[in-house]
Amino acid sequence: MTQNLKTKIMFFSGLSTKIDEEILSYLPTGYDLKLIKPDVSESDQADLVKDADFIISYRFNPVDSVIRSAKKCKLLQLLAAGYDSVNLGLLREMGIPCSNNGGANSWAVADHAVLLMLALFRRLLDSDNQTKLGNWHGNIDGTNTFEMAGKKVGILGMGNIGKKVAKRVQGFDATVQYSDMYPLEKKVNHELALDHVSMEELFSTSDILSCHSPLTKDTFHIVDGSRLRSMKSTSVLINTSRGPIVNETDLIKALENKIIAGAGLDVFESEPIDPSNKLLKMNNVVSTPHVAGTTWDTWSRRAKFAFENINRVLEGQEPSAVAKDFND
């Protein structure tokens, strides 16, 4: 790769020193990169980005006043997949494209989605708790645990992660159907053994419904009371995408009233989730703190993609994985 010796990168990082060092170990020679941590004042951040050619961020995004100072910036490169916390309207106004991580965490998220499915089907947390309490077999009575084999897994959003989830559950002998605004070609559906169905059929016939859509104006609260009520009473909902895709109030009602059997959630409408949230008190909910995409293995992929994307822009090409505005 070729680099301009004067190319300046500002890395807004909310990560640990160990992870910062891992990411920086992939920095190609010839770049001038400065690490900016959350304890740096906004005025100092604004001064630092004035000469920045590129900005990289993770768990610490520059605020609007800082972005407005980045008049030379050619790309805001996120190391995360989500971009709903970024002011894409302001970036567009300034002519600064924003790219996410290009699917670098898709393996990790797909693994986590399947983990949540199995944890619910096999009552993993309850079994662990009962065993530690000395209650051999505990609440497992032969009527309340299930296999993946033969079940129908519905995937809402067939992107990088959705495809990997499909491949994983097929390894458990489940069948896969999906709904997406932009379905795959029929040939690809056939090759991957996928059925594209309507949204109505997806919700009403899936034994497991797993959400893998980005948060947009079209997907906000796409899982609402009406759709939850159309699901099987034995079905479970998995969400490892974005919390606001699911109407949390409606989900709580559906779980309380046994409209669906359970939920596996890595994301919530408000994060960090309030400890008093009813979802955290339910024994048919498995919850994790938005960590589906966070594994040691992802950092090398995130870093490599980010620096390759920066180099792509330097060479006059369009950046990859450009985020679309929530309001488009």
Side-chain angles (χ1 to χ4, degrees):
M1 296 193 300
T2 60
Q3 295 92 25
N4 183 336
L5 294 177
K6 296 181 180 179
T7 299
K8 294 184 178 181
I9 303 173
M10 297 296 160
F11 179 16
F12 285 72
S13 171
L15 295 163
S16 68
T17 299
K18 183 177 181 179
I19 297 176
D20 285 338
E21 291 173 349
E22 173 68 7
I23 291 168
L24 294 178
S25 72
Y26 294 93
L27 178 69
T29 57
Y31 286 104
D32 178 11
L33 184 147
K34 183 173 181 59
L35 197 63
I36 301 176
K37 304 297 281 187
D39 59 355
V40 176
S41 69
E42 288 184 14
S43 59
D44 286 344
Q45 292 174 33
D47 286 337
L48 288 167
V49 302
K50 284 180 180 177
D51 295 323
D53 296 295
F54 297 92
I55 295 174
I56 297 175
S57 72
Y58 188 86
R59 287 188 180 169
F60 170 41
N61 294 322
V63 298
D64 289 358
S65 61
V66 174
I67 290 292
R68 289 192 177 93
S69 296
K71 300 187 185 301
K72 292 177 60 180
C73 185
K74 301 175 180 65
L75 174 71
L76 172 58
Q77 175 65 59
L78 307 176
L79 296 183
Y83 48 84
D84 44 283
S85 62
V86 178
N87 188 342
L88 293 180
L90 174 60
L91 290 171
R92 180 169 53 187
E93 177 186 315
M94 296 186 64
I96 303 173
C98 174
S99 293
N100 71 359
N101 71 10
N105 67 344
S106 57
W107 290 267
V109 177
D111 286 354
H112 200 88
V114 176
L115 171 71
L116 293 172
M117 296 175 195
L118 291 171
L120 286 165
F121 265 23
R122 300 308 299 265
R123 298 177 68 94
L124 178 63
L125 299 185
D126 189 30
S127 291
D128 175 72
N129 184 52
Q130 293 297 317
T131 304
K132 289 174 178 176
L133 291 173
N135 299 325
W136 196 246
H137 290 174
N139 297 324
I140 307 303
D141 62 8
T143 67
N144 54 7
T145 56
F146 306 91
E147 301 169 355
M148 191 88 79
K151 301 301 187 296
K152 188 171 289 187
V153 177
I155 297 178
L156 183 60
M158 189 54 71
N160 283 328
I161 297 171
K163 290 175 186 174
K164 288 180 173 61
V165 171
K167 182 178 179 180
R168 281 156 174 73
V169 299
Q170 286 167 341
F172 287 91
D173 295 324
T175 60
V176 180
Q177 60 184 10
Y178 76 97
S179 185
D180 196 298
M181 290 178 62
Y182 306 99
L184 304 174
E185 295 179 2
K186 290 184 178 180
K187 179 182 177 182
V188 177
N189 285 333
H190 179 72
E191 290 172 350
L192 299 180
L194 305 174
D195 289 322
H196 181 257
V197 298
S198 68
M199 192 77 72
E200 290 72 22
E201 184 174 350
L202 187 80
F203 277 84
S204 64
T205 64
S206 296
D207 298 297
I208 301 170
L209 197 145
S210 195
C211 302
H212 300 287
S213 296
L215 178 60
T216 70
K217 64 180 182 180
D218 295 315
T219 61
F220 178 78
H221 281 185
I222 194 170
V223 182
D224 59 8
S226 175
R227 289 195 164 116
L228 288 165
R229 286 189 294 274
S230 74
M231 293 174 69
K232 298 179 180 181
S233 61
T234 54
S235 65
V236 298
L237 175 75
I238 307 294
N239 190 10
T240 56
S241 54
R242 282 295 180 268
I245 284 176
V246 177
N247 183 319
E248 213 162 90
T249 300
D250 290 350
L251 175 60
I252 290 170
K253 290 178 181 177
L255 291 165
E256 287 178 331
N257 296 319
K258 300 185 188 311
I259 292 170
I260 63 173
L265 307 171
D266 183 57
V267 290
F268 304 89
E269 285 209 65
S270 178
E271 296 181 358
I273 187 171
D274 188 327
S276 66
N277 191 305
K278 287 185 177 181
L279 290 169
L280 302 183
K281 315 298 180 185
M282 297 179 173
N283 60 13
N284 58 345
V285 174
V286 177
S287 56
T288 54
H290 203 149
V291 292
T294 307
T295 66
W296 179 252
D297 308 85
T298 67
W299 300 115
S300 60
R301 294 194 296 266
R302 296 175 198 255
K304 289 175 183 177
F305 178 83
F307 295 131
E308 287 170 1
N309 212 24
I310 285 171
N311 191 71
R312 187 177 292 111
V313 173
L314 281 177
E315 293 180 343
Q317 302 176 46
E318 292 296 316
S320 295
V322 175
K324 294 181 180 180
D325 197 325
F326 181 94
N327 296 308
D328 282 348

